[in-house]
Amino acid sequence: MSEAASVVVGKVVDLLFGMAKKEISYVCNCSENVERYKNEAERLSGMKGRVQQQIDLAKSKGEVLLEGVEEWMKKADVYISDATEFINQEAQEKRLHLCTLRRCSKTAIKKTFSLQQHQENGKGFETCVSLPAQSARFTDLYQRKNLDNIDTQKSILEEIIRAIEDDTIQIVGINGLGGVGKTTLASEVAKAIKNQFADIVFITVSRTVDVKIIQERVKVPASRIMNGEKVLIILDDVWEELKLEELGIPCGSEYMNCKILLTSRSRDVCAAMNAQKNISVNPLQEEEAWTIFERVVGKSEWDDTLKEVALKIVRECGGLPLFIQALGKALKDKEIKIWKATLRRLQAPMDGDVSYKKEGILQLKLSYDHLEDEVSKSLFLLCSMFPEDGNIGLKTLTHYGLALGIFNNPDSIHDTKDIVQLAVESLKSSFLLLPAEFFFEDNRREEEEELFKMHDLVRDMALFITFKGDDKFLVKSGKGLREWQPRSDVIKSYKKISLMENKICKLPDYEPDLPHLDTFLIQMNELSNVPDEFFRGMKELKVLDMRGNNISSLPQSLTQLTMLRLLDLSGNRSLCEISLLGGLSCLEILKLRRTGITNIPEEIGQLTNLRILDVYYCNDLSYITPGVISKLIRLEELYVRLLEDVDCNFIVELSELTLLKILHLRVWELHYIPKTESLIEFDIGSPICEMGLYKRCLEVSRYKCSWTMPIRKLIQLSEMLTLRGIGDLDNILPDLYQEGFNELREIHLLQCENVRSLVKTCDLDGIQTSNERGGPMKTKGKFFPLLELIRLHSLNSLELLWDNPHQYISFCNLTQITIHFCSSLLKLFPISVAQGLVNLKYLYISYCESLVNVISDGDEQTTGSEIELVKKDTNIVFSFYRIELHNLPKLESFYSGYSIIKYPSLEDISVGDCPSMKRWSYGENHTTKIKFYHEERECSIDDYIAGQHEKNGNFTKRRG
């Protein structure tokens, strides 16, 4: 017990000694502890001053202070204040008492530690107290435009927003003419949907792409995209394809949270960048343009005079918002005389002064400057020679360019058309050309393959370029001119002159000095004669277009045009004599369509460089001098139509034209078809039939020769085939088989008395080709794969179209069958064949007095592919849209079987003069879109027909 007690006592003594020692230390070291506290307070004060400097600098930059900075500064103030108070109080005390010394020393040690800890906590604030000032987001600064009553842009805006909100679309393209409002729409989109995205970045790319700047701009947004945040990146004014991955923009299926909106003047650029949605922006309607103009000038009330001027000014802006706003700002608060002067300048010819159109013209010219292809640039400028708002034809433009040598010696005119087509598509993609309003009759009459036009301001831009350049144009087309009396000193420098579509009836009776002129366009005027000396001063002329006048004779000076390559005299119906054209040795294109010529004289045979000869629709043409056609060895296109039943021996000469690519030949006596291996386009037949809609049309009427290889070859290539009055024809296939009917889209059979069926399937399996080598049947896929229309008329021996399905036959694209006056026809085809007509929509049958059923139930023996008969409970779906059955006295039913038939697309049924028809079929019929009623109750089509039969049997039922 004594040992344990002594241990405890020892520990207590040690503890008391330690405590005493510590307390004595407080007293002895009081001065040092207070001094240390004072020094730490001074260091904290210095540190606080440095932090304050950082705070002042950050606030001057508008930066945001880091969280905790201000709290640290407040605590530092408290600590420094406490230290000052303590030190002052300690200095006044006399330190006579040990307790006072102990207290001061102990407090100083504790407060010194707190100061040291606060300094440690604030070390980082000496170098950084703020975040860099965040610039205002684009969407915060942008002020939305008033699109009320601007439906063109409002609807496009909604379409763009829908595309961006579509989760399956990542890249959206906005394209349109310069100044049409693409950037504005992109800005409106950003403002409208800003709350849907964590960040929206608007980057103007422009023609000169600075990749480094773009990469810097997208660095932070790209990080946010990688972290899964939703970001919209707008790339404005894109001129060429950008590789998004090279710009540092995450895209693809892994980053659908990144949406990209492009604006470009080119549809092709947006397509190249894989825009899943490409939206074109059109110019404003006139009413919308006026609304914007009113808002810009700040007027809603107008006096009549000023408003009339203002409306005309707005029309000159061509619906481009950029131009409308520029003019509106310039005219705001100006006197009416300034408005009138502005209008005069806007309506004046483009003579180099573009002060009133400067912004619009120069904006548009950027698109022209960006064209890399010189062919596209040259063709674009040629388009400016046509009247304002006038249609421009692809073929005309091709021929002009060919004669002017714009192209790099293509092998054929057909190749040249491909070059022009590509150039036109490029120009349309950049909105430098626009699709024309399509009028089919005008298009067919003018023989143009495609029509397009120019926006008014784009045309002004092109005329501005031609006025400034070396290749100077004088364009007065469509100005209503009645005469043209130019000053020689003014026009001498021009290379191209267009006076087309005026009312000019008189040309100068002197010799205009135009030594550089290569193009003179004076078509569609009212000229009846041209002075003999008129062309003498145009030695370099290559293109002369005088079509659509009433010229009766050619001037002698025409023979001076030894460089002339294109001469178009079409539509001069009084022009009969063309012998003097034989001296134009360089002529490549000669168009005499719809002239009054009666013959093609011997002199035309001297034009050995001729590549196109067009004498179509020359109603008085009755003689082609023998030997002329065969001398035109470079001829690539020939257009001949002879209305009179005259000697057609010139056809034999066609075999000498080894370069012939296009042949339009309409004559009465087609007794010979020469070898024309090179043909890629043809329209051959009698003169009473109009041209077809396709590039390869053949009509054989009352053919008296054997089915030779050349005619079989043409049949094989034909897209539209018409056979009329052929007596020795039993069927189309296999009788006319050569190597298939892979191109055929329409077939018309008329008055072929011995035709019993369209296709005789029973003879196909063992058929031998009729070529010289013989051998098994050659097929490239199936027969008739593209056939869309069958028209049969007055085939008195026709019993059915075809009897069974066959492995070599496909009518999957057939949409229409028309049959009239086929007195022996009993049925069209069995149900097994009908099932394969998946696209047949229109069926018209009339005046077939023996027809009992349209579709039979399939009792025939199958051949070829061994198709099984259709079972009674089979569900069959037909695609018919309209069915018309008229004057069919023996017709009992549409379908003679029991299958269930569905007609989901049928909207129109017309039955008339079918007295034997008592039902539609023996099975169920479902017409989804047509309802039938008998005695005010809904009923089946069979009950309806039975009810109508009791009356007169006639009925028409349409959808609804």
Side-chain angles (χ1 to χ4, degrees):
M1 289 292 295
S2 59
E3 290 181 3
S6 62
V7 171
V8 172
V9 170
K11 288 184 177 181
V12 170
V13 170
D14 290 341
L15 181 61
L16 291 174
F17 179 77
M19 292 177 62
K21 185 178 179 182
K22 190 174 183 181
E23 292 296 321
I24 293 170
S25 172
Y26 286 144
V27 173
C28 295
N29 297 323
C30 179
S31 296
E32 289 85 351
N33 291 338
V34 171
E35 186 64 26
R36 191 178 296 114
Y37 177 40
K38 179 181 178 182
N39 292 337
E40 288 299 330
E42 290 175 353
R43 277 195 287 273
L44 179 59
S45 180
M47 184 178 184
K48 175 179 174 290
R50 293 190 294 275
V51 173
Q52 185 63 54
Q53 288 178 335
Q54 291 287 342
I55 292 173
D56 293 342
L57 181 61
K59 288 183 176 180
S60 70
K61 294 179 179 179
E63 295 178 344
V64 180
L65 296 179
L66 292 173
E67 186 177 355
V69 172
E70 292 178 317
E71 184 64 26
W72 186 89
M73 290 290 286
K74 288 178 181 178
K75 285 186 177 181
D77 280 338
V78 171
Y79 285 139
I80 293 169
S81 178
D82 284 351
T84 302
E85 183 180 349
F86 176 83
I87 291 169
N88 290 337
Q89 184 178 351
E90 189 271 340
Q92 293 174 2
E93 291 183 356
K94 298 179 180 180
R95 304 180 187 175
L96 296 178
H97 302 286
L98 292 176
C99 291
T100 301
L101 292 173
R102 173 186 167 278
R103 178 180 57 78
C104 286
S105 181
K106 191 173 182 179
T107 301
I109 291 173
K110 185 177 180 181
K111 288 183 178 291
T112 298
F113 177 77
S114 297
L115 291 181
Q116 290 172 337
Q117 188 65 44
H118 195 62
Q119 290 176 77
E120 185 68 26
N121 293 342
K123 273 186 177 180
F125 297 147
E126 288 188 284
T127 56
C128 180
V129 297
S130 63
L131 293 172
Q134 185 176 7
S135 57
R137 283 178 37 158
F138 161 76
T139 51
D140 296 328
L141 298 175
Y142 179 76
Q143 298 295 315
R144 296 200 68 174
K145 301 293 186 291
N146 182 2
L147 296 183
D148 291 343
N149 301 318
I150 315 297
D151 294 336
T152 297
Q153 293 199 339
K154 188 184 291 184
S155 61
I156 291 175
L157 176 63
E158 292 169 354
E159 185 179 1
I160 298 168
I161 291 174
R162 284 196 300 271
I164 290 176
E165 291 176 340
D166 188 332
D167 292 336
T168 64
I169 295 175
Q170 182 172 52
I171 304 176
V172 179
I174 310 174
N175 48 71
L177 197 60
V180 81
K182 302 182 295 298
T183 300
T184 298
L185 283 168
S187 303
E188 288 290 321
V189 168
K191 189 77 171 182
I193 61 176
K194 66 177 183 179
N195 294 330
Q196 298 182 30
F197 292 88
D199 195 7
I200 296 178
V201 186
F202 194 105
I203 302 172
T204 301
V205 178
S206 74
R207 291 181 65 191
T208 305
V209 181
D210 193 324
V211 174
K212 290 185 178 179
I213 289 179
I214 298 176
Q215 289 173 336
E216 188 63 31
R217 291 285 309 279
V218 301
K219 186 181 295 184
V220 174
S223 298
R224 302 184 75 172
I225 293 167
M226 302 284 282
N227 290 330
E229 293 183 84
K230 195 173 180 181
V231 175
L232 172 63
I233 298 176
I234 300 173
L235 299 175
D236 184 43
D237 198 23
V238 180
W239 287 81
E240 59 190 37
E241 180 185 357
L242 301 175
K243 302 294 184 183
L244 296 177
E245 59 275 13
E246 294 177 5
L247 298 177
I249 300 175
C251 59
S253 58
E254 295 181 9
Y255 300 105
M256 292 302 289
N257 54 312
C258 174
K259 296 282 187 171
I260 300 166
L261 180 62
L262 312 171
T263 78
S264 177
R265 299 188 185 197
S266 171
R267 275 190 296 261
D268 289 347
V269 168
C270 293
M273 293 186 65
N274 299 316
Q276 291 100 333
K277 183 72 173 180
N278 221 341
I279 301 169
S280 295
V281 184
N282 296 318
L284 301 176
Q285 299 294 322
E286 191 170 314
E287 298 81 2
E288 297 170 331
W290 174 250
T291 298
I292 288 182
F293 186 77
E294 275 194 315
R295 290 170 184 170
V296 173
V297 298
K299 290 179 70 69
S300 57
E301 296 182 1
W302 303 79
D303 65 68
D304 292 342
T305 304
L306 183 58
K307 186 172 184 178
E308 182 180 357
V309 174
L311 285 169
K312 292 178 180 178
I313 288 173
V314 171
R315 291 190 194 104
E316 292 294 322
C317 295
L320 300 184
L322 178 70
F323 199 21
I324 295 166
Q325 291 169 2
L327 277 176
K329 291 174 183 176
L331 293 172
K332 187 175 183 179
D333 300 327
K334 295 294 191 299
E335 297 179 19
I336 189 171
K337 63 181 181 180
I338 302 299
W339 289 62
K340 289 181 177 179
T342 300
L343 179 59
R344 286 193 296 271
R345 294 303 304 128
L346 289 171
Q347 294 177 333
M350 292 300 297
D351 57 1
D353 179 5
V354 294
S355 56
Y356 287 94
K357 297 186 179 182
K358 183 175 180 181
E359 189 168 2
I361 293 294
L362 296 183
Q363 273 281 338
L364 295 174
K365 188 174 179 293
L366 290 174
S367 296
Y368 171 82
D369 293 338
H370 193 70
L371 295 172
E372 297 178 356
D373 182 6
E374 290 300 320
V375 169
S376 296
K377 286 186 174 182
S378 297
L379 293 174
F380 170 73
L381 296 180
L382 279 179
C383 290
S384 69
M385 301 184 76
F386 291 80
E388 187 174 299
D389 293 322
N391 288 340
I392 306 161
L394 179 72
K395 187 176 286 189
T396 296
L397 192 61
T398 301
H399 293 168
Y400 286 177
L402 193 69
L404 291 169
I406 288 174
F407 315 107
N408 187 21
N409 298 320
D411 293 334
S412 68
I413 295 174
H414 185 266
D415 292 339
T416 306
K417 287 179 186 174
D418 291 340
I419 295 171
V420 176
Q421 182 74 69
L422 290 173
V424 167
E425 289 304 314
S426 174
L427 292 167
K428 284 163 60 176
S429 170
S430 300
F431 297 89
L432 294 175
L433 290 179
L434 303 171
E437 289 86 2
F438 183 75
F439 298 103
F440 175 77
E441 292 298 327
D442 289 344
N443 190 35
R444 182 170 66 175
R445 186 170 62 249
E446 296 301 328
E447 295 303 309
E448 295 292 359
E449 296 170 350
E450 182 182 345
L451 295 172
F452 37 88
K453 62 192 297 185
M454 273 183 150
H455 187 279
D456 294 349
L457 280 179
V458 172
R459 182 173 178 270
D460 286 343
M461 177 266 288
L463 293 176
F464 168 69
I465 293 170
T466 62
F467 181 83
K468 290 289 188 181
D470 295 332
D471 196 11
K472 217 172 174 185
F473 289 24
L474 174 64
V475 179
K476 299 286 185 181
S477 54
K479 296 293 185 181
L481 303 179
R482 294 190 173 274
E483 62 177 18
W484 186 59
Q485 300 291 334
R487 285 171 45 191
S488 295
D489 59 329
V490 174
I491 65 169
K492 187 173 183 178
S493 62
Y494 286 104
K495 291 192 71 173
K496 293 175 174 61
I497 295 176
S498 176
L499 304 172
M500 69 170 78
E501 296 190 29
N502 283 294
K503 299 179 180 180
I504 298 172
C505 56
K506 183 180 180 182
L507 290 173
D509 54 6
Y510 56 85
E511 175 188 325
D513 185 16
L514 291 160
H516 309 294
L517 193 70
D518 62 20
T519 304
F520 188 63
L521 309 179
I522 195 166
Q523 65 264 37
M524 310 307 292
N525 276 281
E526 299 176 3
L527 293 173
S528 56
N529 71 295
V530 179
D532 271 343
E533 302 300 314
F534 182 74
F535 293 113
R536 197 173 296 278
M538 306 180 188
K539 304 293 187 183
E540 297 295 318
L541 199 62
K542 295 178 180 177
V543 175
L544 176 56
D545 195 336
M546 296 194 293
R547 71 179 183 268
N549 284 283
N550 193 31
I551 298 169
S552 57
S553 62
L554 300 175
Q556 287 298 317
S557 59
L558 198 62
T559 60
Q560 303 295 310
L561 304 180
T562 56
M563 302 292 290
L564 194 65
R565 294 183 178 178
L566 182 152
L567 176 61
D568 194 342
L569 296 166
S570 303
N572 289 281
R573 298 185 183 275
S574 300
L575 180 63
C576 300
E577 177 55 47
I578 57 171
S579 297
L580 64 78
L581 299 181
L584 303 177
S585 58
C586 287
L587 201 61
E588 296 184 8
I589 300 172
L590 177 58
K591 300 182 181 182
L592 298 165
R593 181 176 293 227
R594 293 191 181 88
T595 59
I597 61 172
T598 57
N599 68 90
I600 297 180
E602 183 180 358
E603 289 81 357
I604 298 300
Q606 299 172 25
L607 304 177
T608 54
N609 285 309
L610 206 61
R611 302 173 72 179
I612 298 176
L613 176 60
D614 187 349
V615 291
Y616 218 72
Y617 291 118
C618 295
N619 294 343
D620 298 323
L621 180 62
S622 59
Y623 184 69
I624 297 177
T625 303
V628 169
I629 298 297
S630 59
K631 289 178 182 177
L632 307 179
I633 57 174
R634 294 192 63 202
L635 207 62
E636 297 179 38
E637 299 183 15
L638 177 61
Y639 304 84
V640 179
R641 180 174 181 261
L642 300 176
L643 272 181
E644 297 186 23
D645 191 0
V646 296
D647 184 2
C648 295
N649 287 330
F650 74 92
I651 297 176
V652 178
E653 300 178 41
L654 297 180
S655 59
E656 302 294 324
L657 307 180
T658 58
L659 299 179
L660 195 66
K661 294 284 192 299
I662 297 176
L663 175 62
H664 287 214
L665 179 64
R666 288 286 177 173
V667 295
W668 283 109
E669 193 67 31
L670 193 64
H671 59 83
Y672 174 76
I673 298 290
K675 291 183 178 180
T676 49
E677 300 293 335
S678 59
L679 282 184
I680 57 174
E681 178 183 324
F682 54 84
D683 183 76
I684 300 173
S686 68
I688 60 170
C689 294
E690 289 294 329
M691 290 172 51
L693 297 176
Y694 303 102
K695 288 185 177 295
R696 296 185 298 278
C697 302
L698 176 65
E699 178 200 357
V700 182
S701 296
R702 297 170 179 84
Y703 192 61
K704 297 179 182 178
C705 297
S706 61
W707 298 100
T708 60
M709 183 68 72
I711 196 167
R712 286 179 179 272
K713 185 69 174 178
L714 287 178
I715 290 174
Q716 175 191 331
L717 296 174
S718 294
E719 294 176 285
M720 178 177 174
L721 176 63
T722 302
L723 301 176
R724 185 192 306 270
I726 309 298
D728 60 348
L729 189 65
D730 180 79
N731 55 68
I732 299 301
L733 186 69
D735 278 11
L736 296 183
Y737 168 72
Q738 177 61 25
E739 290 187 8
F741 298 93
N742 295 330
E743 305 295 327
L744 197 61
R745 294 180 180 274
E746 291 188 15
I747 184 165
H748 303 256
L749 266 65
L750 303 92
Q751 302 163 8
C752 299
E753 291 294 328
N754 294 314
V755 170
R756 297 182 180 278
S757 64
L758 190 66
V759 178
K760 210 168 186 179
T761 59
C762 60
D763 292 345
L764 285 181
D765 291 326
I767 190 174
Q768 302 286 317
T769 58
S770 60
N771 60 16
E772 296 176 0
R773 292 173 295 175
M777 182 170 66
K778 292 182 284 184
T779 59
K780 298 177 181 178
K782 296 189 176 184
F783 294 114
F784 309 112
L786 302 179
L787 190 65
E788 298 173 6
L789 183 148
I790 295 174
R791 175 172 168 253
L792 309 175
H793 195 291
S794 301
L795 306 179
N796 291 329
S797 299
L798 182 71
E799 296 177 355
L800 78 164
L801 270 64
W802 56 94
D803 50 10
N804 285 293
H806 195 279
Q807 59 183 339
Y808 288 134
I809 297 177
S810 171
F811 289 102
C812 60
N813 281 309
L814 187 63
T815 60
Q816 179 176 329
I817 297 176
T818 299
I819 305 175
H820 302 306
F821 296 100
C822 296
S823 57
S824 299
L825 184 66
L826 299 175
K827 57 198 172 190
L828 264 65
F829 31 65
I831 187 68
S832 54
V833 170
Q835 283 182 280
L837 306 179
V838 294
N839 285 307
L840 185 59
K841 299 185 182 305
Y842 303 95
L843 180 62
Y844 307 106
I845 308 175
S846 67
Y847 296 98
C848 297
E849 57 194 56
S850 301
L851 187 69
V852 177
N853 310 117
V854 176
I855 300 173
S856 62
D857 63 357
D859 291 332
E860 294 80 11
Q861 295 297 316
T862 59
T863 61
S865 57
E866 298 297 327
I867 302 294
E868 294 184 3
L869 296 181
V870 179
K871 298 179 180 179
K872 289 186 179 182
D873 58 350
T874 300
N875 280 276
I876 299 173
V877 179
F878 285 148
S879 300
F880 290 113
Y881 176 84
R882 179 178 293 121
I883 298 174
E884 292 186 9
L885 308 171
H886 290 273
N887 297 94
L888 307 172
K890 294 185 179 180
L891 183 68
E892 296 177 358
S893 63
F894 181 77
Y895 166 50
S896 63
Y898 293 86
S899 297
I900 300 171
I901 309 291
K902 296 180 180 179
Y903 302 87
S905 303
L906 189 61
E907 296 190 4
D908 194 339
I909 301 176
S910 179
V911 177
D913 292 316
C914 300
S916 302
M917 190 173 187
K918 298 180 181 179
R919 62 176 53 84
W920 189 257
S921 77
Y922 291 89
E924 294 181 29
N925 300 282
H926 300 281
T927 56
T928 308
K929 295 183 178 180
I930 301 178
K931 302 297 182 184
F932 295 91
Y933 295 90
H934 180 63
E935 295 181 352
E936 299 183 355
R937 292 184 179 180
E938 187 172 347
C939 63
S940 69
I941 184 174
D942 288 319
D943 292 339
Y944 179 81
I945 291 174
Q948 293 297 313
H949 181 74
E950 295 176 0
K951 300 177 182 178
N952 56 20
N954 299 332
F955 71 88
T956 298
K957 289 295 291 183
R958 292 186 173 89
R959 178 178 182 174

